[in-house]
Amino acid sequence: MSTVATEEIKLTRKDFVSDQTVRWCPGCGDYSILAQMQRILPETGVAKEKTVFISGIGCASRFPYYMNTYGIHSIHGRAPALATGLAIANPDLTVWVITGDGDGLSIGGNHLLHAIRRNVNLNIVLFNNRIYGLTKGQYSPTSRPGTVTKSSPMGSTEQPLNPIAVALAAEATFVARSIDSHPQHLAATLERTAEHQGASFLEIYQNCVIFNPNEWTDLSDRRNRDDSILYLEHGKHMIFGKDRDKGIRLNGFTPEVVSLDEVDLDEILVHDATSRPLASILGSMEFPDYPAAMGVIRDVRKPDYTGELMAQVETAQAQRGKGDLNQLYLAADLWTVEEREETEAREITPSSSDFDEMPITGLDEEYIDEMETPAEVLSDFQDLLVTSTLAALEPNVPITMGMRSSLARTIRQMNRHNIGCVLVTDEEDRLVGIFTEWDVLNRVAGLVDDLAQQRISDYMTRDPMSLKDDLPIAHALNLMSLHGFRHLPLVDDNGQPTGIISFRDVVGYLNEALEEE
Amino acid sequence: MNLQTDLKSEHVSHLVVSGFAQVPAGTPVRDTLARMRADRRVVCLVVDGEEPAAVQLVGIFTERDVMRKVVDVPGMLDRPVDEAMTLDPITIGPDASAADALRLMDEHHVRNLPVVDGTGKLLGIMTHQAIIQFLADRYPVEVLNRPIDPEQFPRKAEGG
Ligand SMILES: Cc1ncc(C[n+]2csc(CCOP(=O)(O)OP(=O)(O)O)c2C)c(N)n1
Ligand code: SF4
Ligand SMILES: [Mg+2]
């Protein structure tokens, strides 16, 4: 096995971000999934060049473009088939399959089943938005009955598939579920998905803000999601609720929600991720009758496909020697395909402009109107998040230091101005680094003997993330929440710092602006 | 629905609060720093008592204290942390609202509030980060799911 030198290097999130323009709609849950994937991959310790993302077709399936790893945006529904081939041909690779509810369960349902059934060493992630997003909102095999879409104007009459039940039907050795709007849970579940050997199947409830925006609101609403989600932990009681006052009990074969005030703890089910029957029960619990089970539903170890297959190949080769593919070809009947004379031109089919002129009936218009009514009016607060720019925060003028400044001088300046962070600039006053109290604690205090002898440029964080002040406040909150930044530098078009904002500024501003109304 | 009503109805116990490092009172500053670095924490709680269940919070020592009282003060590294910490820090209970926490932080100009329950158990540190996380989860469409680079535009049209 070849070991690439870069495996030794500790990768960061940035290493997994590609230079491609992301083409999802603003607000799409796919962004959250991408951000968490980029966050957890460095933790798994797998080298970039050993990681491959394979997808089919759909919005979800655009994922490989945005990962700075190998990737294949393949054929509709066929990602599991391609991935199977790759995983077998090169077992050193970590292969992720990214698919949607349409890609993975309509056209590709078959391929998905067999990759799981064979326990190929793949991490399969299915983004379930219960709609075809890319083709502009037709119902999908996971859409609930009654869902009104462009292809089901009177409401779908079909029984939806439950992806967890599908994976279990194929005896998946790892089955899990998470949701885009809960980044911590999502990150932890992605990590578990990556760890498992064999086929891992993760369903992510994903919000399509454009064509199916209300699908997951009960589960994603931060104020009461803990009442609608059962977070699973192996070996722990199935307790849930914002105040952890409800539990799941079995009544015969049927699970039921009980209040912990009325039922003893030992009657409450304990999660066992190795139990096949329990996995089926958890998979069958549909919201709103039950809380949605989230986390690892099943996790067992079975021989993976590549290992078994290659062992057979080895045995066969030991008995009969290495085969010759060329000879195998030539052993069959051979014939030559000749070019044929062009026959008469085919009949021309109507062009799309002919269709445009066909009249739409009144009935259709009625349904289209119904579908296009906006679902929810934005609150003032949501409005403020996206319409106010960072300039409105009237950011503080930043304290900057030249790269050659000494640590002693820098720390004196920070204490004089009573600030927790300074920006570091080059000869042309462009932002090149940031130096914070955490750096002082982490790399300086008690570790550096003579503060006057050391340059700030050796202790700062290089190339910090910076923003222009015409971006909405929501963007700053996004970066602060994803990366835990407390301060964000603002720069102008030349890259020169113009301000610095902290979370305190943001909250202060939002509070005040709302009071004025 | 606005920020204040949101934060008033959310208990501190329902937020994702930060973790902390912990050392017994009397620990030299040098060892306290080592503990904080090892745990990757910007806050260290200084406690009395051995039993994990019965420790008593006596002070809080943060990166700010490192900045102002340690890094360029000769001899501090070998002094006990008690001399650089804030004695009897302001704390908050798990049932207080997020709005109360923000108000306390604002009034007392602190950014780390130890969360302590009725029995004196230390549960975590309430910071602005917990509020950011709450807002991101509460408004995923506006905050969480933003284009990564808002200034990047596609150069050509493309399907699939
Ligand atoms: C062979 C083929 N059939 C149909 C289509 C049209 N098509 C493109 S994407 C898609 C469904 C995508 O749904 P899903 O996998 O749920 O992805 P989403 O866009 O919702 O993320 C369909 C039917 C196609 N591109 N190719
Ligand atoms: S159409 Fe829906 S799923 Fe596709 S990018 Fe837009 S919001 Fe996301
Ligand atoms: Mg879909």
Side-chain angles (χ1 to χ4, degrees):
Chain A
M1 201 169 84
S2 67
T3 320
V4 181
T6 50
E7 273 180 327
E8 314 267 308
I9 298 171
K10 179 100 178 82
L11 298 174
T12 68
R13 188 194 67 86
K14 276 192 203 157
D15 293 306
F16 288 93
V17 179
S18 84
D19 61 357
Q20 297 284 307
T21 313
V22 184
R23 287 169 203 239
W24 291 317
C25 312
C28 176
D30 292 353
Y31 282 107
S32 168
I33 305 174
L34 178 65
Q36 294 314 317
M37 183 68 88
Q38 288 166 337
R39 190 176 121 194
I40 67 111
L41 281 190
E43 309 289 319
T44 65
V46 180
K48 280 199 295 186
E49 56 274 27
K50 296 249 168 105
T51 305
V52 191
F53 280 83
I54 304 186
S55 64
I57 300 293
C59 298
S61 294
R62 295 195 57 82
F63 203 87
Y65 291 115
Y66 312 138
M67 296 295 305
N68 194 15
T69 62
Y70 286 112
I72 305 176
H73 183 197
S74 84
I75 314 168
H76 206 4
R78 271 62 184 181
L82 265 94
T84 298
L86 189 61
I88 294 169
N90 191 348
D92 281 356
L93 298 177
T94 295
V95 184
W96 291 81
V97 171
I98 304 292
T99 183
D101 44 319
D103 185 64
L105 295 170
S106 294
I107 193 168
N110 206 331
H111 296 283
L112 183 74
L113 274 179
H114 296 292
I116 295 175
R117 176 178 73 81
R118 292 180 175 130
N119 201 29
V120 184
N121 193 11
L122 303 174
N123 305 324
I124 305 171
V125 187
L126 187 143
F127 297 15
N128 188 4
N129 52 14
R130 291 191 168 160
I131 200 90
Y132 292 173
L134 188 75
T135 48
K136 299 190 163 47
Q138 298 81 3
Y139 74 104
S140 90
T142 57
S143 299
R144 280 168 301 118
T147 306
V148 173
T149 69
K150 290 177 182 142
S151 55
S152 56
M154 300 177 69
S156 161
T157 55
E158 298 176 17
Q159 166 66 38
L161 279 174
N162 170 344
I164 298 289
V166 169
L168 288 170
E171 289 301 328
T173 52
F174 180 96
V175 181
R177 190 193 271 144
S178 191
I179 185 163
D180 56 8
S181 55
H182 197 330
Q184 295 89 346
H185 187 269
L186 179 57
T189 316
L190 278 169
E191 270 185 83
R192 293 285 306 273
T193 306
E195 274 165 23
H196 177 262
Q197 280 289 316
S200 320
F201 179 82
L202 168 62
E203 175 190 21
I204 302 177
Y205 287 170
Q206 175 241 326
N207 184 17
C208 171
V209 267
I210 304 296
F211 298 112
N212 201 14
N214 298 318
E215 190 60 48
W216 306 117
T217 28
D218 292 312
L219 301 175
S220 60
D221 187 335
R222 178 62 174 80
R223 292 165 302 173
N224 43 30
R225 69 179 179 203
D226 291 349
D227 284 327
S228 6
I229 294 179
L230 169 67
Y231 300 102
L232 296 172
E233 271 183 83
H234 180 69
K236 298 255 172 80
H237 283 102
M238 295 187 193
I239 294 175
F240 72 104
K242 201 161 178 171
D243 298 314
R244 301 193 58 73
D245 56 356
K246 287 174 274 192
I248 304 291
R249 169 174 81 173
L250 264 197
N251 183 357
F253 298 112
T254 312
E256 60 182 10
V257 174
V258 291
S259 157
L260 289 187
D261 293 338
E262 289 151 26
V263 170
D264 276 349
L265 191 62
D266 45 307
E267 285 185 45
I268 303 297
L269 273 175
V270 173
H271 183 40
D272 176 0
T274 63
S275 162
R276 177 66 181 80
L278 186 58
S280 279
I281 289 174
L282 288 169
S284 72
M285 286 168 40
E286 300 263 7
F287 186 81
D289 297 336
Y290 297 100
M294 297 261 173
V296 179
I297 293 171
R298 184 170 203 227
D299 186 2
V300 294
R301 186 75 195 261
K302 283 190 187 168
D304 85 73
Y305 185 64
T306 310
E308 300 275 284
L309 182 72
M310 293 326 274
Q312 289 191 347
V313 171
E314 248 174 59
T315 314
Q317 284 182 347
Q319 285 166 356
R320 296 199 274 173
K322 236 179 165 186
D324 181 346
L325 199 58
N326 236 349
Q327 243 175 26
L328 192 67
Y329 278 142
L330 295 174
D333 288 346
L334 294 178
W335 63 91
T336 312
V337 179
E338 309 251 342
E339 207 170 321
R340 208 165 48 151
E341 300 270 302
E342 193 61 56
T343 50
E344 281 154 59
R346 278 174 299 149
E347 214 171 287
I348 294 158
T349 48
S351 75
S352 65
S353 59
D354 296 337
F355 286 114
D356 288 345
E357 279 159 27
M358 290 180 188
I360 299 172
T361 67
L363 183 71
D364 285 337
E365 272 166 31
E366 193 181 299
Y367 282 116
I368 288 167
D369 279 352
E370 188 181 317
M371 272 159 27
E372 288 178 356
T373 350
E376 202 192 352
V377 186
L378 290 188
S379 68
D380 293 345
F381 183 69
Q382 282 160 296
D383 204 42
L384 206 59
L385 283 175
V386 291
T387 53
S388 289
T389 64
L390 295 173
L393 300 179
E394 292 167 11
N396 291 329
V397 178
I399 307 294
T400 60
M401 304 293 293
M403 286 173 78
R404 294 162 173 279
S405 309
S406 70
L407 277 182
R409 205 168 96 79
T410 307
I411 288 167
R412 255 197 327 273
Q413 282 290 342
M414 289 169 78
N415 277 337
R416 172 168 329 142
H417 295 281
N418 197 19
I419 49 172
C421 131
V422 283
L423 303 182
V424 185
T425 51
D426 65 9
E427 303 77 35
E428 276 143 59
D429 297 329
R430 284 175 310 212
L431 179 70
V432 288
I434 189 166
F435 182 74
T436 68
E437 287 172 342
W438 167 247
D439 296 313
V440 173
L441 162 58
N442 196 34
R443 292 187 258 201
V444 179
L447 303 171
V448 176
D449 287 334
D450 190 351
L451 297 176
Q453 289 304 312
Q454 300 292 327
R455 290 232 170 102
I456 180 84
S457 52
D458 293 328
Y459 293 87
M460 67 186 188
T461 303
R462 283 179 185 276
D463 298 329
M465 207 172 280
S466 61
L467 300 174
K468 306 261 168 68
D469 70 2
D470 57 355
L471 284 170
I473 287 179
H475 203 77
L477 280 177
N478 170 279
L479 294 176
M480 289 173 166
S481 74
L482 284 180
H483 312 299
F485 298 143
R486 206 157 54 195
H487 297 102
L488 279 171
L490 301 179
V491 293
D492 61 17
D493 289 337
N494 303 321
Q496 296 174 342
T498 58
I500 186 153
I501 51 164
S502 72
F503 180 64
R504 204 186 277 252
D505 302 331
V506 179
V507 174
Y509 172 80
L510 293 173
N511 248 342
E512 245 170 63
L514 287 167
E515 269 165 26
E516 277 166 21
E517 305 226 337
Chain B
M1 185 169 38
N2 67 29
L3 184 62
Q4 277 303 327
T5 28
D6 259 5
L7 296 181
K8 272 187 194 139
S9 55
E10 200 64 29
H11 288 187
V12 167
S13 59
H14 292 143
L15 298 175
V16 184
V17 295
S18 314
F20 53 88
Q22 181 176 322
V23 295
T27 306
V29 169
R30 187 188 302 280
D31 300 347
T32 308
L33 292 180
R35 176 84 270 141
M36 291 167 86
R37 281 185 205 119
D39 296 350
R40 298 194 66 77
R41 297 291 179 205
V42 296
V43 174
C44 186
L45 296 184
V46 181
V47 298
D48 255 344
E50 299 288 284
E51 286 295 302
V55 293
Q56 194 71 43
L57 178 65
V58 292
I60 184 170
F61 177 74
T62 72
E63 51 182 348
R64 171 108 322 182
D65 300 314
V66 178
M67 193 67 206
R68 304 196 68 87
K69 304 183 204 157
V70 175
V71 66
D72 56 358
V73 180
M76 255 334 264
L77 287 172
D78 299 308
R79 310 292 308 160
V81 66
D82 312 48
E83 292 179 20
M85 71 185 185
T86 303
L87 197 67
D88 292 333
I90 298 154
T91 63
I92 193 155
D95 293 333
S97 73
D100 288 340
L102 265 186
R103 197 176 36 75
L104 268 184
M105 291 198 243
D106 225 36
E107 277 171 12
H108 298 273
H109 300 286
V110 294
R111 54 179 185 224
N112 300 292
L113 282 179
V115 185
V116 186
D117 75 6
T119 68
K121 197 164 155 210
L122 305 173
L123 302 172
I125 306 289
M126 172 71 200
T127 64
H128 283 144
Q129 181 62 28
I131 307 259
I132 306 180
Q133 216 65 60
F134 171 78
L135 288 180
D137 291 6
R138 171 83 178 83
Y139 300 104
V141 169
E142 287 78 15
V143 176
L144 211 50
N145 297 317
R146 294 200 58 81
I148 300 161
D149 182 352
E151 299 194 342
Q152 203 175 26
F153 294 104
R155 257 165 282 133
K156 55 179 178 20
E158 161 201 304

mmCIF file of all heavy atoms in Angstrom, chain B residues 19 28 34 37 46 48 56 58 64 66 84 93 102 105-106 115 127 142:
data_model
loop_
_atom_site.group_PDB
_atom_site.id
_atom_site.type_symbol
_atom_site.label_atom_id
_atom_site.label_comp_id
_atom_site.label_asym_id
_atom_site.label_seq_id
_atom_site.Cartn_x
_atom_site.Cartn_y
_atom_site.Cartn_z
ATOM 1 N N GLY B 19 -17.504 24.593 27.315
ATOM 2 C CA GLY B 19 -16.833 23.870 28.378
ATOM 3 C C GLY B 19 -15.782 24.756 29.043
ATOM 4 O O GLY B 19 -15.581 25.901 28.650
ATOM 5 N N PRO B 28 -0.322 27.013 40.692
ATOM 6 C CA PRO B 28 0.468 28.100 40.093
ATOM 7 C C PRO B 28 -0.102 28.501 38.731
ATOM 8 O O PRO B 28 -0.664 27.662 38.024
ATOM 9 C CB PRO B 28 1.852 27.475 39.916
ATOM 10 C CG PRO B 28 1.871 26.293 40.814
ATOM 11 C CD PRO B 28 0.467 25.829 40.970
ATOM 12 N N ALA B 34 -1.088 25.668 31.444
ATOM 13 C CA ALA B 34 -0.869 24.381 30.773
ATOM 14 C C ALA B 34 -2.180 23.603 30.682
ATOM 15 O O ALA B 34 -2.498 23.002 29.650
ATOM 16 C CB ALA B 34 0.181 23.572 31.532
ATOM 17 N N ARG B 37 -4.386 25.138 27.998
ATOM 18 C CA ARG B 37 -3.918 24.814 26.639
ATOM 19 C C ARG B 37 -4.252 23.373 26.294
ATOM 20 O O ARG B 37 -4.713 23.079 25.198
ATOM 21 C CB ARG B 37 -2.407 24.995 26.546
ATOM 22 C CG ARG B 37 -2.005 26.423 26.391
ATOM 23 C CD ARG B 37 -0.488 26.516 26.182
ATOM 24 N NE ARG B 37 -0.070 27.817 26.626
ATOM 25 C CZ ARG B 37 0.791 28.042 27.605
ATOM 26 N NH1 ARG B 37 1.381 27.033 28.235
ATOM 27 N NH2 ARG B 37 1.088 29.264 27.960
ATOM 28 N N VAL B 46 -11.649 28.126 39.037
ATOM 29 C CA VAL B 46 -10.786 27.787 40.159
ATOM 30 C C VAL B 46 -11.699 27.335 41.294
ATOM 31 O O VAL B 46 -12.655 28.032 41.649
ATOM 32 C CB VAL B 46 -9.941 29.001 40.573
ATOM 33 C CG1 VAL B 46 -9.010 28.639 41.725
ATOM 34 C CG2 VAL B 46 -9.145 29.511 39.370
ATOM 35 N N ASP B 48 -12.509 24.953 45.088
ATOM 36 C CA ASP B 48 -12.084 24.378 46.355
ATOM 37 C C ASP B 48 -12.722 23.006 46.473
ATOM 38 O O ASP B 48 -13.835 22.812 45.987
ATOM 39 C CB ASP B 48 -12.597 25.253 47.511
ATOM 40 C CG ASP B 48 -11.474 26.069 48.117
ATOM 41 O OD1 ASP B 48 -10.301 25.730 47.853
ATOM 42 O OD2 ASP B 48 -11.779 27.041 48.833
ATOM 43 N N GLN B 56 -16.444 23.677 45.178
ATOM 44 C CA GLN B 56 -16.995 25.001 45.428
ATOM 45 C C GLN B 56 -16.285 25.980 44.486
ATOM 46 O O GLN B 56 -15.065 26.017 44.433
ATOM 47 C CB GLN B 56 -16.664 25.339 46.894
ATOM 48 C CG GLN B 56 -17.409 26.511 47.472
ATOM 49 C CD GLN B 56 -18.882 26.180 47.682
ATOM 50 O OE1 GLN B 56 -19.210 25.100 48.145
ATOM 51 N NE2 GLN B 56 -19.755 27.103 47.307
ATOM 52 N N VAL B 58 -14.574 29.173 43.446
ATOM 53 C CA VAL B 58 -14.032 30.332 44.159
ATOM 54 C C VAL B 58 -13.637 31.467 43.218
ATOM 55 O O VAL B 58 -13.658 32.624 43.598
ATOM 56 C CB VAL B 58 -12.826 29.980 45.072
ATOM 57 C CG1 VAL B 58 -13.260 29.116 46.232
ATOM 58 C CG2 VAL B 58 -11.709 29.331 44.295
ATOM 59 N N ARG B 64 -8.475 36.895 29.207
ATOM 60 C CA ARG B 64 -8.339 38.328 29.468
ATOM 61 C C ARG B 64 -7.374 38.563 30.636
ATOM 62 O O ARG B 64 -6.542 39.468 30.607
ATOM 63 C CB ARG B 64 -9.728 38.900 29.762
ATOM 64 C CG ARG B 64 -9.732 40.281 30.256
ATOM 65 C CD ARG B 64 -10.204 41.372 29.362
ATOM 66 N NE ARG B 64 -9.912 41.378 27.959
ATOM 67 C CZ ARG B 64 -10.308 42.368 27.167
ATOM 68 N NH1 ARG B 64 -10.988 43.375 27.652
ATOM 69 N NH2 ARG B 64 -10.031 42.359 25.897
ATOM 70 N N VAL B 66 -4.995 36.590 31.488
ATOM 71 C CA VAL B 66 -3.653 36.253 30.998
ATOM 72 C C VAL B 66 -3.043 37.499 30.353
ATOM 73 O O VAL B 66 -1.896 37.873 30.569
ATOM 74 C CB VAL B 66 -3.710 35.111 29.964
ATOM 75 C CG1 VAL B 66 -2.319 34.803 29.432
ATOM 76 C CG2 VAL B 66 -4.361 33.877 30.567
ATOM 77 N N ALA B 84 -4.456 36.155 40.281
ATOM 78 C CA ALA B 84 -4.769 36.745 38.975
ATOM 79 C C ALA B 84 -6.224 36.550 38.572
ATOM 80 O O ALA B 84 -6.692 37.118 37.601
ATOM 81 C CB ALA B 84 -3.856 36.148 37.906
ATOM 82 N N GLY B 93 -28.032 30.638 36.733
ATOM 83 C CA GLY B 93 -28.644 29.317 36.891
ATOM 84 C C GLY B 93 -29.119 28.780 35.557
ATOM 85 O O GLY B 93 -29.368 29.550 34.630
ATOM 86 N N LEU B 102 -27.713 37.601 28.804
ATOM 87 C CA LEU B 102 -27.154 38.700 28.016
ATOM 88 C C LEU B 102 -27.114 39.980 28.831
ATOM 89 O O LEU B 102 -26.150 40.741 28.797
ATOM 90 C CB LEU B 102 -28.009 38.932 26.770
ATOM 91 C CG LEU B 102 -27.565 38.245 25.498
ATOM 92 C CD1 LEU B 102 -28.435 38.691 24.339
ATOM 93 C CD2 LEU B 102 -26.095 38.557 25.179
ATOM 94 N N MET B 105 -24.313 39.877 31.356
ATOM 95 C CA MET B 105 -23.014 40.047 30.705
ATOM 96 C C MET B 105 -22.782 41.513 30.376
ATOM 97 O O MET B 105 -21.684 42.032 30.529
ATOM 98 C CB MET B 105 -22.948 39.220 29.419
ATOM 99 C CG MET B 105 -22.907 37.741 29.651
ATOM 100 S SD MET B 105 -22.318 36.922 28.155
ATOM 101 C CE MET B 105 -23.630 35.967 27.692
ATOM 102 N N ASP B 106 -23.852 42.158 29.943
ATOM 103 C CA ASP B 106 -23.772 43.550 29.549
ATOM 104 C C ASP B 106 -23.518 44.454 30.751
ATOM 105 O O ASP B 106 -22.609 45.280 30.747
ATOM 106 C CB ASP B 106 -25.099 43.942 28.892
ATOM 107 C CG ASP B 106 -24.866 44.727 27.635
ATOM 108 O OD1 ASP B 106 -23.882 44.414 26.941
ATOM 109 O OD2 ASP B 106 -25.654 45.657 27.375
ATOM 110 N N VAL B 115 -22.278 28.614 34.564
ATOM 111 C CA VAL B 115 -23.644 28.156 34.808
ATOM 112 C C VAL B 115 -23.588 27.182 35.984
ATOM 113 O O VAL B 115 -22.886 26.171 35.928
ATOM 114 C CB VAL B 115 -24.229 27.449 33.568
ATOM 115 C CG1 VAL B 115 -25.685 27.102 33.799
ATOM 116 C CG2 VAL B 115 -24.062 28.325 32.329
ATOM 117 N N THR B 127 -21.700 31.957 27.117
ATOM 118 C CA THR B 127 -20.983 33.017 26.402
ATOM 119 C C THR B 127 -21.846 33.513 25.248
ATOM 120 O O THR B 127 -22.903 32.951 24.971
ATOM 121 C CB THR B 127 -19.683 32.472 25.775
ATOM 122 O OG1 THR B 127 -20.048 31.499 24.801
ATOM 123 C CG2 THR B 127 -18.764 31.864 26.792
ATOM 124 N N GLU B 142 -31.843 32.041 6.963
ATOM 125 C CA GLU B 142 -31.143 33.319 6.830
ATOM 126 C C GLU B 142 -29.661 33.206 7.210
ATOM 127 O O GLU B 142 -28.814 33.835 6.593
ATOM 128 C CB GLU B 142 -31.794 34.387 7.720
ATOM 129 C CG GLU B 142 -33.138 34.890 7.226
ATOM 130 C CD GLU B 142 -34.290 33.932 7.512
ATOM 131 O OE1 GLU B 142 -34.106 33.020 8.331
ATOM 132 O OE2 GLU B 142 -35.360 34.075 6.897
#
